[in-house]
Amino acid sequence: MSHLCDFCGEKRSVIYCRSDAAALCLSCDRIVHSANALSRRHSRTLFCDRCSTQPAFVRCIEESVSLCQNCDWNEHGGSAVAKGHKRETINCYIGCPSAAELSRMWPFFKEFPPTEDADCEQGLGLMTIDENSVTNCWGHPENGISGAGKLNNPGALDKFDSLVGSSSGLAICSMPCTADLVTGSVDSTTPKLSCPGTKDSELCKDGLCDDFNLDDVDLTFQNYEELFGLSHNQTGHLFDDHGIDVIFDPWDTCAANSNCQDEFVGEASSEGQVKPMPTTCSNAVSADSVMSNPGQNVDSSMFLPARQAHSCLSFSFSGLTGESNARDYQDCGVSSMLLMSEPPVFPAGPESSMLPTASRDSAVMRYKEKKKTRKFEKKIRYASRKAMADVRRRVKGRFVKAGEAYDYDPLAKTRSC
DNA sequence: AGTGATCCGCGAACCACAGATGGGT
DNA sequence: GCACCCATCTGTGGTTCGCGGATCA
Protein backbone atom coordinates (compact mmCIF):
# COMPACT_ATOMS: atom_id res chain seq x y z
CA MET A 1 0.00 0.00 0.00
CA SER A 2 2.93 2.25 -0.55
CA HIS A 3 1.86 5.75 -1.38
CA LEU A 4 3.78 7.90 -3.80
CA CYS A 5 4.65 11.48 -3.09
CA ASP A 6 1.83 13.80 -4.04
CA PHE A 7 4.32 16.38 -5.24
CA CYS A 8 6.86 14.52 -7.35
CA GLY A 9 4.82 11.40 -7.82
CA GLU A 10 7.99 9.35 -7.91
CA LYS A 11 9.33 8.70 -4.47
CA ARG A 12 7.60 6.92 -1.69
CA SER A 13 5.79 9.30 0.58
CA VAL A 14 7.00 9.38 4.13
CA ILE A 15 5.64 12.59 5.51
CA TYR A 16 2.06 13.58 5.90
CA CYS A 17 1.24 17.27 5.89
CA ARG A 18 -1.95 17.81 7.75
CA SER A 19 -2.43 21.33 6.51
CA ASP A 20 -2.14 20.33 2.89
CA ALA A 21 -3.59 16.87 3.38
CA ALA A 22 -0.68 15.78 1.27
CA ALA A 23 1.69 12.86 1.29
CA LEU A 24 5.22 13.86 0.55
CA CYS A 25 8.63 12.36 0.27
CA LEU A 26 11.30 13.94 2.40
CA SER A 27 12.88 16.01 -0.31
CA CYS A 28 9.57 17.35 -1.55
CA ASP A 29 8.58 18.08 1.99
CA ARG A 30 11.55 20.37 2.23
CA ILE A 31 10.84 21.96 -1.09
CA VAL A 32 7.19 22.56 -0.41
CA HIS A 33 7.55 23.67 3.14
CA SER A 34 10.46 25.95 2.66
CA ALA A 35 8.55 27.98 0.11
CA ASN A 36 7.35 30.63 2.48
CA ALA A 37 6.75 31.45 6.09
CA LEU A 38 3.23 30.10 6.05
CA SER A 39 4.10 26.81 4.52
CA ARG A 40 6.79 26.38 7.11
CA ARG A 41 4.11 26.41 9.73
CA HIS A 42 2.46 23.34 8.33
CA SER A 43 2.35 20.58 10.85
CA ARG A 44 3.74 17.34 9.51
CA THR A 45 4.25 13.88 10.77
CA LEU A 46 5.02 10.41 9.52
CA PHE A 47 2.70 8.26 7.52
CA CYS A 48 1.11 5.17 8.96
CA ASP A 49 3.15 2.14 7.93
CA ARG A 50 0.09 -0.04 7.84
CA CYS A 51 -2.58 1.80 5.93
CA SER A 52 -0.40 4.46 4.32
CA THR A 53 -3.36 6.75 4.26
CA GLN A 54 -3.42 8.28 7.71
CA PRO A 55 -0.87 10.22 9.66
CA ALA A 56 0.93 8.13 12.20
CA PHE A 57 0.83 9.20 15.77
CA VAL A 58 2.44 6.35 17.59
CA ARG A 59 5.46 4.15 17.07
CA CYS A 60 5.38 0.56 18.17
CA ILE A 61 8.86 -0.20 19.39
CA GLU A 62 8.36 -3.95 19.34
CA GLU A 63 7.21 -4.05 15.76
CA SER A 64 9.14 -1.04 14.53
CA VAL A 65 6.16 0.40 12.77
CA SER A 66 4.49 3.77 12.81
CA LEU A 67 0.76 3.58 13.20
CA CYS A 68 -2.23 5.82 12.87
CA GLN A 69 -4.98 5.74 15.43
CA ASN A 70 -7.05 3.15 13.67
CA CYS A 71 -4.19 0.84 12.93
CA ASP A 72 -2.88 1.23 16.43
CA TRP A 73 -6.23 0.28 17.75
CA ASN A 74 -6.49 -2.64 15.39
CA GLU A 75 -3.10 -3.95 16.32
CA HIS A 76 -2.94 -3.10 19.97
CA GLY A 77 -6.51 -3.06 21.02
CA GLY A 78 -7.09 -6.73 20.66
CA SER A 79 -4.67 -9.21 22.07
CA ALA A 80 -3.19 -8.88 25.50
CA VAL A 81 0.26 -9.44 24.07
CA ALA A 82 -0.08 -6.61 21.65
CA LYS A 83 -1.39 -4.34 24.34
CA GLY A 84 1.85 -4.79 26.16
CA HIS A 85 3.88 -3.43 23.30
CA LYS A 86 5.90 -0.43 24.18
CA ARG A 87 4.93 2.52 22.09
CA GLU A 88 6.18 6.01 21.58
CA THR A 89 4.27 8.97 20.39
CA ILE A 90 5.35 10.48 17.14
CA ASN A 91 5.76 14.18 17.35
CA CYS A 92 4.64 16.51 14.68
CA TYR A 93 7.04 19.09 13.48
CA ILE A 94 6.88 22.34 11.65
CA GLY A 95 9.50 24.45 10.04
CA CYS A 96 12.29 22.93 8.08
CA PRO A 97 14.19 20.55 10.25
CA SER A 98 17.55 19.19 9.38
CA ALA A 99 18.21 15.49 9.19
CA ALA A 100 19.90 15.65 12.54
CA GLU A 101 16.91 17.30 14.09
CA LEU A 102 14.58 14.78 12.60
CA SER A 103 16.76 12.03 13.85
CA ARG A 104 16.68 13.48 17.31
CA MET A 105 12.94 13.75 17.17
CA TRP A 106 12.39 10.35 15.61
CA PRO A 107 15.38 8.24 16.60
CA PHE A 108 13.67 5.19 15.19
CA PHE A 109 13.53 6.65 11.74
CA LYS A 110 16.64 5.97 9.70
CA GLU A 111 15.82 7.32 6.30
CA PHE A 112 16.73 10.94 6.59
CA PRO A 113 18.98 12.16 3.86
CA PRO A 114 21.36 14.92 4.72
CA THR A 115 19.84 18.32 4.69
CA GLU A 116 21.11 20.44 1.90
CA ASP A 117 18.80 23.33 2.22
CA ALA A 118 20.62 25.35 4.75
CA ASP A 119 18.75 28.47 3.78
CA CYS A 120 15.57 26.94 4.86
CA GLU A 121 16.80 26.51 8.33
CA GLN A 122 17.70 30.12 8.48
CA GLY A 123 14.28 31.16 7.51
CA LEU A 124 11.38 31.12 9.79
CA GLY A 125 13.31 29.11 12.22
CA LEU A 126 14.21 25.65 12.96
CA MET A 127 11.84 22.90 13.50
CA THR A 128 9.48 23.17 16.33
CA ILE A 129 8.18 20.05 17.83
CA ASP A 130 4.72 20.27 19.17
CA GLU A 131 5.67 18.97 22.48
CA ASN A 132 3.36 20.58 24.93
CA SER A 133 1.76 23.06 22.80
CA VAL A 134 -1.77 22.72 21.86
CA THR A 135 -3.10 20.56 24.57
CA ASN A 136 -2.67 23.50 26.74
CA CYS A 137 -3.47 26.25 24.44
CA TRP A 138 -6.32 27.71 26.39
CA GLY A 139 -4.77 27.73 29.67
CA HIS A 140 -1.15 28.23 29.08
CA PRO A 141 -0.48 30.67 26.40
CA GLU A 142 3.17 30.17 26.80
CA ASN A 143 2.70 26.63 25.72
CA GLY A 144 -0.08 27.15 23.34
CA ILE A 145 -0.24 28.40 19.86
CA SER A 146 0.42 31.90 20.93
CA GLY A 147 3.82 31.20 19.65
CA ALA A 148 3.55 31.01 15.94
CA GLY A 149 6.23 28.45 15.81
CA LYS A 150 4.06 26.06 17.70
CA LEU A 151 1.02 26.50 15.68
CA ASN A 152 -0.31 23.07 15.29
CA ASN A 153 -2.96 23.55 12.72
CA PRO A 154 -2.57 26.99 11.33
CA GLY A 155 -5.02 26.31 8.62
CA ALA A 156 -7.84 25.70 10.97
CA LEU A 157 -6.88 28.63 13.07
CA ASP A 158 -6.67 30.85 10.08
CA LYS A 159 -10.16 29.86 9.22
CA PHE A 160 -11.28 30.77 12.64
CA ASP A 161 -9.53 34.06 12.56
CA SER A 162 -10.97 34.90 9.23
CA LEU A 163 -14.40 34.10 10.49
CA VAL A 164 -14.10 35.92 13.71
CA GLY A 165 -12.41 38.77 12.07
CA SER A 166 -9.26 38.98 13.98
CA SER A 167 -6.03 37.28 14.32
CA SER A 168 -6.35 37.16 17.98
CA GLY A 169 -4.54 33.94 18.22
CA LEU A 170 -7.54 32.53 19.95
CA ALA A 171 -6.43 29.09 20.72
CA ILE A 172 -9.54 27.06 20.49
CA CYS A 173 -7.83 23.80 20.26
CA SER A 174 -10.68 22.29 22.01
CA MET A 175 -10.80 18.96 20.42
CA PRO A 176 -8.01 16.73 21.30
CA CYS A 177 -5.76 18.49 18.97
CA THR A 178 -3.02 17.03 17.03
CA ALA A 179 -0.68 17.76 19.77
CA ASP A 180 -3.00 16.10 22.15
CA LEU A 181 -2.37 12.96 20.30
CA VAL A 182 1.17 13.73 19.74
CA THR A 183 2.03 14.65 23.22
CA GLY A 184 -0.04 12.14 25.03
CA SER A 185 2.34 9.42 25.76
CA VAL A 186 1.02 6.08 24.87
CA ASP A 187 2.84 3.73 27.04
CA SER A 188 1.27 2.77 30.25
CA THR A 189 3.62 4.77 32.34
CA THR A 190 2.30 8.01 31.18
CA PRO A 191 -0.67 9.72 32.51
CA LYS A 192 -3.35 10.21 31.30
CA LEU A 193 -5.98 12.70 30.89
CA SER A 194 -4.10 15.53 32.31
CA CYS A 195 -6.18 18.58 32.12
CA PRO A 196 -3.61 21.24 32.42
CA GLY A 197 -4.52 23.29 35.33
CA THR A 198 -6.28 26.16 33.90
CA LYS A 199 -9.89 25.69 34.59
CA ASP A 200 -11.18 28.90 35.86
CA SER A 201 -12.52 27.93 39.17
CA GLU A 202 -14.47 31.13 39.54
CA LEU A 203 -16.33 30.55 36.37
CA CYS A 204 -17.25 27.06 37.29
CA LYS A 205 -18.10 27.96 40.80
CA ASP A 206 -20.96 30.01 39.50
CA GLY A 207 -22.28 27.20 37.48
CA LEU A 208 -21.29 28.67 34.21
CA CYS A 209 -19.62 25.46 33.35
CA ASP A 210 -22.23 23.14 34.66
CA ASP A 211 -24.32 22.98 31.59
CA PHE A 212 -22.73 25.59 29.54
CA ASN A 213 -23.37 24.68 25.98
CA LEU A 214 -23.44 27.90 24.07
CA ASP A 215 -26.83 27.05 22.84
CA ASP A 216 -27.19 30.41 21.26
CA VAL A 217 -24.31 30.07 18.97
CA ASP A 218 -23.95 27.71 16.12
CA LEU A 219 -20.46 26.67 15.49
CA THR A 220 -19.88 25.06 12.20
CA PHE A 221 -16.88 23.17 11.16
CA GLN A 222 -15.75 24.18 7.78
CA ASN A 223 -14.26 20.88 6.98
CA TYR A 224 -15.29 18.02 9.11
CA GLU A 225 -12.59 15.69 8.10
CA GLU A 226 -9.93 18.25 8.51
CA LEU A 227 -11.08 19.32 11.87
CA PHE A 228 -11.78 15.97 13.37
CA GLY A 229 -9.51 13.83 11.38
CA LEU A 230 -12.16 11.19 11.24
CA SER A 231 -15.32 10.52 9.48
CA HIS A 232 -18.81 11.24 10.60
CA ASN A 233 -19.31 7.61 11.32
CA GLN A 234 -16.28 7.45 13.40
CA THR A 235 -17.30 10.44 15.34
CA GLY A 236 -20.06 8.46 16.85
CA HIS A 237 -17.51 6.61 18.83
CA LEU A 238 -16.64 9.71 20.68
CA PHE A 239 -19.78 9.47 22.71
CA ASP A 240 -20.88 5.98 22.06
CA ASP A 241 -20.20 4.43 25.33
CA HIS A 242 -21.72 6.77 27.80
CA GLY A 243 -23.49 9.41 25.92
CA ILE A 244 -22.82 13.04 25.86
CA ASP A 245 -23.80 13.45 29.45
CA VAL A 246 -20.62 11.96 30.64
CA ILE A 247 -18.87 14.96 29.37
CA PHE A 248 -20.47 17.02 32.06
CA ASP A 249 -20.65 14.66 34.94
CA PRO A 250 -17.04 14.33 35.86
CA TRP A 251 -16.60 18.03 36.06
CA ASP A 252 -16.20 18.04 39.74
CA THR A 253 -13.98 15.08 39.70
CA CYS A 254 -11.68 16.70 37.33
CA ALA A 255 -11.90 20.02 39.05
CA ALA A 256 -10.86 18.36 42.22
CA ASN A 257 -7.70 17.48 40.50
CA SER A 258 -7.41 21.08 39.50
CA ASN A 259 -6.41 19.90 36.16
CA CYS A 260 -9.19 21.03 34.01
CA GLN A 261 -9.22 23.49 31.27
CA ASP A 262 -11.96 25.16 29.43
CA GLU A 263 -12.39 23.49 26.19
CA PHE A 264 -15.15 22.81 23.83
CA VAL A 265 -15.89 19.59 22.28
CA GLY A 266 -18.10 19.42 19.29
CA GLU A 267 -21.36 17.63 19.28
CA ALA A 268 -21.58 16.78 15.69
CA SER A 269 -24.89 16.75 14.05
CA SER A 270 -25.71 15.16 10.80
CA GLU A 271 -25.11 18.42 9.05
CA GLY A 272 -21.70 18.79 10.43
CA GLN A 273 -22.76 21.56 12.67
CA VAL A 274 -21.36 21.44 16.07
CA LYS A 275 -22.40 22.86 19.30
CA PRO A 276 -19.57 23.40 21.64
CA MET A 277 -19.56 21.88 25.01
CA PRO A 278 -17.13 22.09 27.77
CA THR A 279 -15.16 19.06 28.45
CA THR A 280 -13.49 18.44 31.67
CA CYS A 281 -10.34 17.19 30.29
CA SER A 282 -8.18 17.77 27.38
CA ASN A 283 -10.17 15.65 25.10
CA ALA A 284 -13.57 14.25 24.94
CA VAL A 285 -12.43 10.74 24.58
CA SER A 286 -10.43 11.10 27.66
CA ALA A 287 -13.45 12.18 29.55
CA ASP A 288 -15.22 9.20 28.23
CA SER A 289 -12.53 6.99 29.47
CA VAL A 290 -12.54 8.63 32.82
CA MET A 291 -16.15 7.82 33.26
CA SER A 292 -15.69 4.30 32.27
CA ASN A 293 -13.05 3.92 34.88
CA PRO A 294 -13.95 6.16 37.73
CA GLY A 295 -11.35 6.42 40.33
CA GLN A 296 -8.82 4.55 38.36
CA ASN A 297 -5.73 5.55 36.68
CA VAL A 298 -6.62 5.44 33.11
CA ASP A 299 -4.30 3.74 30.80
CA SER A 300 -3.97 6.06 27.92
CA SER A 301 -4.14 3.14 25.61
CA MET A 302 -7.74 2.92 26.54
CA PHE A 303 -8.64 6.20 25.04
CA LEU A 304 -6.24 6.31 22.23
CA PRO A 305 -8.16 3.89 20.12
CA ALA A 306 -11.33 5.74 20.68
CA ARG A 307 -10.96 7.72 17.53
CA GLN A 308 -9.55 10.80 18.98
CA ALA A 309 -10.39 13.83 17.06
CA HIS A 310 -7.62 16.10 16.31
CA SER A 311 -6.91 19.38 14.77
CA CYS A 312 -8.15 22.66 16.02
CA LEU A 313 -11.60 23.95 15.66
CA SER A 314 -12.60 26.58 13.30
CA PHE A 315 -15.80 28.31 13.99
CA SER A 316 -18.36 30.07 11.99
CA PHE A 317 -21.36 31.69 13.43
CA SER A 318 -23.76 30.44 10.87
CA GLY A 319 -26.63 30.70 13.22
CA LEU A 320 -26.55 34.43 13.08
CA THR A 321 -29.30 35.76 10.98
CA GLY A 322 -30.51 39.15 10.20
CA GLU A 323 -32.88 38.87 13.08
CA SER A 324 -30.12 38.31 15.48
CA ASN A 325 -27.82 40.79 16.88
CA ALA A 326 -24.65 40.67 18.76
CA ARG A 327 -26.25 41.55 22.01
CA ASP A 328 -28.37 38.44 21.92
CA TYR A 329 -25.24 36.49 22.05
CA GLN A 330 -23.40 38.66 24.42
CA ASP A 331 -26.21 38.25 26.84
CA CYS A 332 -24.98 34.81 27.41
CA GLY A 333 -21.99 35.77 29.38
CA VAL A 334 -19.53 33.17 28.45
CA SER A 335 -20.44 32.79 24.86
CA SER A 336 -19.71 36.41 24.37
CA MET A 337 -16.12 35.63 24.86
CA LEU A 338 -16.18 33.81 21.64
CA LEU A 339 -18.14 36.39 19.80
CA MET A 340 -15.95 39.14 20.88
CA SER A 341 -12.95 37.23 19.73
CA GLU A 342 -11.35 37.61 23.04
CA PRO A 343 -8.95 34.85 23.58
CA PRO A 344 -10.18 32.96 26.56
CA VAL A 345 -6.72 32.41 27.75
CA PHE A 346 -6.65 32.66 31.45
CA PRO A 347 -3.62 33.70 33.31
CA ALA A 348 -2.02 30.75 34.87
CA GLY A 349 -1.98 32.06 38.38
CA PRO A 350 -4.58 30.67 40.71
CA GLU A 351 -5.52 34.08 41.95
CA SER A 352 -6.20 35.37 38.55
CA SER A 353 -9.65 35.84 37.29
CA MET A 354 -10.74 36.12 33.74
CA LEU A 355 -12.94 39.12 34.28
CA PRO A 356 -12.92 41.95 36.70
CA THR A 357 -15.20 41.08 39.55
CA ALA A 358 -17.95 43.56 38.76
CA SER A 359 -18.23 42.83 35.10
CA ARG A 360 -17.85 39.19 35.79
CA ASP A 361 -20.71 39.19 38.26
CA SER A 362 -22.72 41.10 35.77
CA ALA A 363 -21.93 38.58 33.11
CA VAL A 364 -22.83 35.74 35.41
CA MET A 365 -26.11 37.43 36.26
CA ARG A 366 -26.94 37.94 32.63
CA TYR A 367 -26.06 34.40 31.86
CA LYS A 368 -28.28 33.03 34.59
CA GLU A 369 -31.16 35.22 33.53
CA LYS A 370 -30.78 34.15 29.98
CA LYS A 371 -30.55 30.58 31.06
CA LYS A 372 -33.86 30.84 32.84
CA THR A 373 -35.67 32.41 29.96
CA ARG A 374 -34.05 30.71 27.07
CA LYS A 375 -36.25 28.79 24.74
CA PHE A 376 -35.49 26.05 22.35
CA GLU A 377 -38.39 26.66 20.11
CA LYS A 378 -38.09 26.76 16.42
CA LYS A 379 -37.27 30.15 15.10
CA ILE A 380 -39.14 31.39 12.09
CA ARG A 381 -36.85 33.23 9.78
CA TYR A 382 -39.40 34.14 7.20
CA ALA A 383 -42.77 34.96 8.63
CA SER A 384 -44.25 35.36 5.19
CA ARG A 385 -43.36 31.80 4.33
CA LYS A 386 -44.89 30.59 7.51
CA ALA A 387 -48.05 32.49 6.72
CA MET A 388 -48.17 30.87 3.33
CA ALA A 389 -47.53 27.42 4.72
CA ASP A 390 -50.16 27.94 7.37
CA VAL A 391 -52.88 28.45 4.82
CA ARG A 392 -51.62 25.99 2.25
CA ARG A 393 -53.80 22.96 1.65
CA ARG A 394 -52.36 19.51 2.11
CA VAL A 395 -52.89 15.86 1.39
CA LYS A 396 -51.54 13.67 4.14
CA GLY A 397 -49.47 16.52 5.33
CA ARG A 398 -47.96 17.27 1.99
CA PHE A 399 -48.61 20.44 0.13
CA VAL A 400 -50.71 20.11 -2.94
CA LYS A 401 -50.99 22.29 -5.96
CA ALA A 402 -53.57 24.97 -5.85
CA GLY A 403 -56.82 23.68 -7.22
CA GLU A 404 -56.13 20.03 -6.57
CA ALA A 405 -58.14 17.92 -4.18
CA TYR A 406 -57.01 18.15 -0.61
CA ASP A 407 -57.80 16.47 2.66
CA TYR A 408 -56.64 19.19 4.99
CA ASP A 409 -57.56 22.83 4.81
CA PRO A 410 -56.03 24.89 7.58
CA LEU A 411 -58.46 27.66 6.95
CA ALA A 412 -61.47 25.42 7.30
CA LYS A 413 -60.10 23.93 10.53
CA THR A 414 -61.80 20.70 9.61
CA ARG A 415 -60.85 17.89 7.36
CA SER A 416 -62.37 18.01 3.97
CA CYS A 417 -62.00 15.75 1.02
C1' DA B 1 -29.30 -15.82 29.16
C1' DG B 2 -30.73 -15.49 24.47
C1' DT B 3 -34.25 -14.55 20.90
C1' DG B 4 -38.17 -12.72 18.56
C1' DA B 5 -42.27 -9.77 18.65
C1' DT B 6 -44.24 -5.54 19.84
C1' DC B 7 -44.47 -0.80 21.26
C1' DC B 8 -42.89 3.82 21.37
C1' DG B 9 -40.38 8.00 20.30
C1' DC B 10 -37.67 10.54 17.28
C1' DG B 11 -36.12 12.41 13.07
C1' DA B 12 -36.07 12.52 8.04
C1' DA B 13 -38.66 12.98 3.96
C1' DC B 14 -42.25 14.65 1.27
C1' DC B 15 -45.05 18.13 -0.97
C1' DA B 16 -46.01 23.37 -3.46
C1' DC B 17 -44.78 27.77 -3.78
C1' DA B 18 -43.24 32.61 -2.52
C1' DG B 19 -39.30 34.93 -1.84
C1' DA B 20 -34.29 35.18 -1.81
C1' DT B 21 -30.18 34.76 -4.38
C1' DG B 22 -26.91 34.86 -8.03
C1' DG B 23 -25.43 35.00 -12.78
C1' DG B 24 -25.96 36.85 -17.33
C1' DT B 25 -27.31 40.53 -20.50
C1' DG C 1 -22.99 51.05 -12.17
C1' DC C 2 -27.73 49.99 -12.75
C1' DA C 3 -31.90 47.55 -14.15
C1' DC C 4 -33.94 43.58 -15.72
C1' DC C 5 -34.63 38.66 -16.62
C1' DC C 6 -34.17 34.01 -15.57
C1' DA C 7 -32.81 29.84 -13.14
C1' DT C 8 -31.91 27.96 -8.90
C1' DC C 9 -32.15 27.64 -3.98
C1' DT C 10 -34.40 28.12 0.54
C1' DG C 11 -37.78 27.61 3.99
C1' DT C 12 -42.31 26.85 5.64
C1' DG C 13 -46.00 22.89 8.33
C1' DG C 14 -48.61 18.42 8.84
C1' DT C 15 -48.29 13.77 8.01
C1' DT C 16 -46.06 9.43 7.06
C1' DC C 17 -42.49 6.23 7.39
C1' DG C 18 -38.42 4.00 8.97
C1' DC C 19 -35.14 3.23 12.40
C1' DG C 20 -33.46 2.16 16.94
C1' DG C 21 -34.16 1.43 21.78
C1' DA C 22 -36.99 -0.48 25.37
C1' DT C 23 -40.02 -3.87 27.03
C1' DC C 24 -42.14 -8.28 27.33
C1' DA C 25 -43.11 -13.15 26.46
Side-chain angles (χ1 to χ4, degrees):
Chain A
M1 288 182 70
S2 182
H3 193 287
L4 293 180
C5 172
D6 287 341
F7 192 70
C8 66
E10 297 174 356
K11 299 178 184 175
R12 184 173 69 92
S13 59
V14 178
I15 303 297
Y16 179 78
C17 173
R18 202 177 294 276
S19 304
D20 292 329
L24 302 168
C25 64
L26 281 168
S27 54
C28 289
D29 174 53
R30 282 202 189 89
I31 294 171
V32 170
H33 293 105
S34 62
N36 56 54
L38 288 177
S39 64
R40 287 189 186 107
R41 294 182 182 179
H42 288 183
S43 173
R44 284 106 73 200
T45 188
L46 285 172
F47 244 133
C48 173
D49 287 334
R50 286 285 182 267
C51 64
S52 294
T53 59
Q54 297 293 320
F57 84 111
V58 64
R59 178 82 177 179
C60 176
I61 304 301
E62 261 77 0
E63 302 177 57
S64 297
V65 291
S66 305
L67 300 171
C68 65
Q69 301 162 48
N70 286 339
C71 293
D72 178 54
W73 172 238
N74 289 337
E75 297 206 1
H76 298 108
S79 72
V81 175
K83 278 181 180 175
H85 284 184
K86 182 172 174 55
R87 284 169 283 166
E88 284 181 1
T89 52
I90 297 176
N91 291 313
C92 293
Y93 69 90
I94 64 174
C96 213
S98 67
E101 287 170 327
L102 283 172
S103 295
R104 274 201 302 276
M105 182 175 67
W106 297 330
F108 49 82
F109 197 65
K110 310 295 184 189
E111 301 178 26
F112 301 120
T115 301
E116 297 174 357
D117 187 3
D119 292 341
C120 176
E121 296 184 6
Q122 296 167 1
L124 177 83
L126 298 175
M127 158 192 75
T128 301
I129 302 170
D130 290 329
E131 289 280 2
N132 301 310
S133 57
V134 191
T135 319
N136 219 1
C137 51
W138 269 44
H140 294 284
E142 70 278 13
N143 290 336
I145 61 173
S146 53
K150 293 190 174 182
L151 228 170
N152 197 0
N153 192 334
L157 189 67
D158 288 346
K159 284 180 182 176
F160 176 79
D161 275 340
S162 68
L163 287 163
V164 174
S166 80
S167 55
S168 60
L170 175 52
I172 305 195
C173 300
S174 55
M175 301 306 289
C177 307
T178 309
D180 258 349
L181 311 180
V182 165
T183 59
S185 184
V186 176
D187 64 42
S188 58
T189 63
T190 309
K192 292 110 184 156
L193 309 179
S194 69
C195 309
T198 52
K199 183 175 185 297
D200 188 296
S201 57
E202 289 298 309
L203 264 176
C204 294
K205 182 180 68 181
D206 290 308
L208 284 175
C209 303
D210 291 343
D211 63 348
F212 169 46
N213 64 1
L214 285 180
D215 55 285
D216 289 334
V217 182
D218 281 345
L219 301 168
T220 305
F221 291 146
Q222 296 298 298
N223 183 326
Y224 197 95
E225 293 282 345
E226 174 190 354
L227 291 167
F228 284 97
L230 71 174
S231 69
H232 288 67
N233 292 337
Q234 290 173 319
T235 312
H237 293 282
L238 285 172
F239 306 116
D240 267 347
D241 295 338
H242 306 284
I244 194 70
D245 289 344
V246 304
I247 303 298
F248 299 97
D249 291 338
W251 190 257
D252 291 340
T253 305
C254 192
N257 296 332
S258 65
N259 271 335
C260 295
Q261 70 185 75
D262 289 312
E263 290 184 335
F264 298 90
V265 60
E267 176 193 7
S269 73
S270 61
E271 295 177 347
Q273 287 195 335
V274 174
K275 286 189 175 182
M277 299 180 178
T279 66
T280 59
C281 298
S282 59
N283 68 49
V285 181
S286 302
D288 203 358
S289 301
V290 166
M291 287 306 294
S292 64
N293 299 274
Q296 298 177 10
N297 280 341
V298 179
D299 186 334
S300 55
S301 63
M302 294 180 62
F303 66 83
L304 282 168
R307 313 293 196 273
Q308 298 97 321
H310 42 72
S311 181
C312 298
L313 294 177
S314 77
F315 292 77
S316 74
F317 298 93
S318 60
L320 290 170
T321 69
E323 299 167 3
S324 306
N325 59 50
R327 178 167 175 77
D328 287 339
Y329 296 87
Q330 290 171 26
D331 280 348
C332 181
V334 181
S335 59
S336 65
M337 291 189 298
L338 289 173
L339 278 171
M340 298 306 290
S341 307
E342 293 172 2
V345 177
F346 310 137
E351 74 288 356
S352 64
S353 175
M354 187 185 69
L355 298 169
T357 304
S359 60
R360 191 189 139 281
D361 289 345
S362 173
V364 169
M365 188 71 69
R366 286 201 307 273
Y367 167 70
K368 288 183 175 178
E369 284 300 313
K370 180 104 179 191
K371 186 178 168 183
K372 287 178 185 175
T373 60
R374 65 188 171 187
K375 299 173 181 177
F376 298 95
E377 297 162 353
K378 182 180 179 180
K379 288 182 179 177
I380 302 298
R381 294 178 61 190
Y382 298 98
S384 61
R385 294 182 180 183
K386 174 176 169 53
M388 290 298 300
D390 283 340
V391 301
R392 190 158 290 158
R393 292 168 176 172
R394 302 181 178 94
V395 174
K396 291 185 178 180
R398 298 181 178 184
F399 298 128
V400 294
K401 290 181 180 178
E404 289 188 357
Y406 55 91
D407 64 2
Y408 175 69
D409 184 358
L411 294 178
K413 301 296 180 187
T414 57
R415 296 296 178 92
S416 62
C417 193

